[in-house]
Amino acid sequence: MTLFDTLKDRCLSEWEAYTRHEFVTELGRGTLPQAVFRDYLVQDFHFLVQFARANALAAYKSRTLADIAAAHRSTGAILSETELHLRLTERWGIPRAELEAAAEKQATVAYTRYVLDCGMAGDVLDLHVALAPCTIGYAEIGAHLMPRLAEQGGQDEHPYGEWIAEYSGVEFTAASRAAIEQLDVLAGGGLTDRRLDELTDVFRTATRLEVDFWQQALDSAR
């Protein structure tokens, strides 16, 4: 069993609250209000900026060339992901200047700064565990929603088809698998019970903050 599987099993209720959240369900059905999706896109842009910083921090905290290279690849994947958001926000009528000028909301700040704090206060494994719910969870969500996309006539017929296709696609799936493998590399083949408990707390908190991030978007329309 991978370290990710262990952490996920230890935090299963939080994980299901995140990956099966009302936001995710409505997005898959195509019934998510457009105003909610727009709010999410704006906040997720700022989210990704901070996550790029976190992956750059992972490179700095790394002690081997292989770990630095892995962090570099992860940073590149995040930067590529921002291109999707820039395409989507433009298509949804949100100018780049408006996107960059928008204020970060509370859940956005809470989540991203928690991740950065894990990296600053802990080691590179703490940081990667804090990143894992996003890096790995979105691929799981994309894979779960992909059959729904096919049922509704494909990417062009679904209002959020491009988003689903991106996170169920080959590139993001490969990045997710690499993140799972990197956790095991960093764990070094074994962890003490105390260390596993510490990492579980990090993973659980980050997953709860993912839930809050979805909920923040839903609450924007209420």
Side-chain angles (χ1 to χ4, degrees):
M1 180 179 286
T2 66
L3 174 57
F4 169 72
D5 288 332
T6 298
L7 294 171
K8 179 179 169 180
D9 285 350
R10 283 174 154 229
C11 307
L12 196 55
S13 62
E14 291 87 357
W15 188 259
E16 290 182 349
Y18 159 46
T19 59
R20 300 297 185 267
H21 193 275
E22 181 185 352
F23 179 99
V24 175
T25 300
E26 290 194 21
L27 187 148
R29 291 172 179 165
T31 58
L32 187 71
Q34 291 186 5
V36 170
F37 190 65
R38 285 168 59 91
D39 184 84
Y40 159 77
L41 285 177
V42 171
Q43 291 303 306
D44 203 40
F45 173 79
H46 290 287
F47 180 99
L48 289 172
V49 169
Q50 300 303 327
F51 264 48
R53 292 180 65 212
N55 278 280
L57 176 61
Y60 171 76
K61 300 279 282 194
S62 295
R63 293 181 177 273
T64 69
L65 187 60
D67 290 344
I68 293 171
H72 176 71
R73 288 191 296 271
S74 296
T75 304
I78 293 290
L79 294 175
S80 295
E81 193 178 345
T82 61
E83 294 302 315
L84 167 69
H85 282 75
L86 292 174
R87 292 197 307 271
L88 287 174
T89 51
E90 181 179 357
R91 196 166 302 143
W92 286 74
I94 306 171
R96 176 73 176 264
E98 179 182 333
L99 181 68
E100 293 182 340
E104 291 179 88
K105 291 187 174 181
Q106 182 174 342
T108 311
V109 173
Y111 187 8
T112 58
R113 283 14 174 233
Y114 175 74
V115 171
L116 285 165
D117 183 65
C118 284
M120 292 297 293
D123 61 17
V124 70
L125 179 56
D126 290 285
L127 178 53
H128 278 281
V129 167
L131 288 164
C134 177
T135 308
I136 302 168
Y138 266 54
E140 181 176 314
I141 290 168
H144 175 69
L145 296 182
M146 191 59 184
R148 173 76 70 172
L149 184 62
E151 290 169 5
Q152 297 189 28
Q155 179 177 332
D156 294 338
E157 300 299 322
H158 193 291
Y160 308 118
E162 188 173 2
W163 190 97
I164 296 172
E166 176 78 10
Y167 291 111
S168 61
V170 172
E171 185 175 347
F172 201 85
T173 300
S176 172
R177 288 173 180 162
I180 292 171
E181 292 171 2
Q182 182 67 3
L183 287 175
D184 286 340
V185 170
L186 293 171
L191 298 167
T192 65
D193 289 343
R194 179 178 178 180
R195 183 64 173 134
L196 183 57
D197 287 342
E198 291 172 349
L199 295 174
T200 298
D201 287 341
V202 170
F203 187 85
R204 178 176 288 112
T205 300
T207 303
R208 286 173 173 169
L209 290 167
E210 282 280 13
V211 174
D212 292 344
F213 191 73
W214 292 141
Q215 192 61 45
Q216 173 179 262
L218 286 181
D219 291 345
S220 69
R222 292 174 180 171

